[in-house]
């Protein structure tokens, strides 16, 4: 059986040391004059579109103003992100370089993809800072595709069909992520979920959401590969 393996970015593949949050704050302040209640807001598992709508709505910015300036926001965000990533703090998480190599080496059985709340330019900049090649991911679903993460798995499956001619379904689709939102987003498609406690949720917190497989980190590369491809 083939696999469509969809990796989340922040907390799963890499850690930017807060560069993403700093860049969003700067871009929102510049484009809208406010970043809303950003200090009390959890970014984990949320799409970039959702983050902007939540924070700006909470600050009283009308929806049509949010939408009208969204292109400017994301253009400024990527520019600030590249600047913030320049602090050199971004790292691939433990085991990730080897795990990606091994999933890719199983090419007969696996299509490597991204399923992330990041917009494509943000994902590309973060991966590049972590020295992970963006173009190795053949399929992607992003925060710019929909504000609601639960809508992204179907986008990824559709793009995988267009690029490979293969219709992946149910447990052939593997979602790998670090938050409850990653575990739940593919529920309606019956996907396999692999959770990892390298982001802002503990192993115990993730266990409550019953992923199919759960890891402290992907340093256990062989076990992770087995869970993904089994
Ligand atoms: Mg994440």
């Amino acid at each position: 059986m083939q696999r469509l393996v969809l990796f989340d970015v922040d907390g799963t593949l890499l850690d930017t040391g807060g560069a993403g949050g700093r860049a969003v704050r700067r871009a929102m302040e510049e484009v809208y004059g406010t970043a809303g209640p950003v200090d009390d807001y959890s970014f984990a598992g949320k799409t970039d579109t959702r983050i902007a709508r939540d924070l700006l709505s909470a600050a009283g910015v009308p929806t049509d103003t949010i939408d009208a300036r969204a292109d400017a926001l994301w253009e400024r965000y990527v520019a600030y992100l590249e600047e913030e990533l320049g602090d050199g703090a971004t790292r691939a998480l433990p085991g990730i370089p080897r795990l990606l190599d091994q999933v890719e080496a199983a090419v007969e059985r696996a299509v490597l993809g991204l399923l992330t709340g990041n917009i494509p330019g943000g994902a590309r900049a973060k991966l590049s800072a972590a020295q992970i090649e963006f173009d190795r991911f053949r399929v992607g679903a992003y925060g710019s595709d929909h504000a609601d993460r639960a809508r992204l798995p179907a986008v990824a499956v559709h793009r995988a069909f267009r690029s490979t001619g293969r219709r992946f379904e149910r447990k052939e689709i593997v979602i790998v992520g670090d938050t409850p939102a990653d575990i739940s987003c593919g529920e309606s498609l019956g996907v396999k979920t692999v959770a990892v406690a390298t982001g802002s949720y503990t192993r115990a917190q993730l266990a409550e959401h019953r992923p199919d497989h759960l890891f402290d980190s992907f340093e256990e590369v062989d076990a992770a590969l087995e869970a993904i491809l089994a």
Side-chain angles (χ1 to χ4, degrees), residues 8-14 43-46 115-118 149 176-179 182 199-200:
D8 168 58
V9 173
D10 296 280
T12 301
L13 292 178
L14 56 80
F43 287 65
K46 308 233 175 72
L115 193 158
T116 171
N118 281 280
R149 194 180 197 100
V176 186
D178 68 302
T179 72
D182 296 273
S200 47

Side-chain angles (χ1 to χ4, degrees), residues 113-126:
L114 294 175
L115 193 158
T116 171
N118 281 280
I119 59 170
R124 179 185 285 274
K126 290 177 181 179

Side-chain angles (χ1 to χ4, degrees), residues 76-88:
R76 294 313 299 146
Y77 165 69
V78 172
Y80 284 134
L81 181 61
E82 281 169 355
E83 202 179 297
E84 296 286 350
L85 291 168
D87 68 3

Side-chain angles (χ1 to χ4, degrees), residues 90 92 126-133 136:
T90 301
K126 290 177 181 179
L127 289 167
S128 162
Q131 302 186 339
I132 299 170
E133 203 190 324
R136 71 195 298 182

Side-chain angles (χ1 to χ4, degrees), residues 3-9 12-13 100 103-104 110-116 123 127 132-142 149 152 156-157 159-160 163-164 168 172-177 228:
R3 294 283 177 275
L4 172 61
V5 187
L6 299 168
F7 282 91
D8 168 58
V9 173
T12 301
L13 292 178
L100 292 176
V103 171
E104 219 170 30
V111 173
L112 195 58
L114 294 175
L115 193 158
T116 171
L127 289 167
I132 299 170
E133 203 190 324
F134 178 77
D135 291 331
R136 71 195 298 182
F137 298 93
R138 291 174 60 197
V139 169
Y142 301 95
R149 194 180 197 100
L152 298 184
V157 167
R159 289 188 180 145
S163 112
T164 68
F168 291 90
E172 295 174 340
I173 306 158
V174 186
I175 293 182
V176 186
I228 288 168

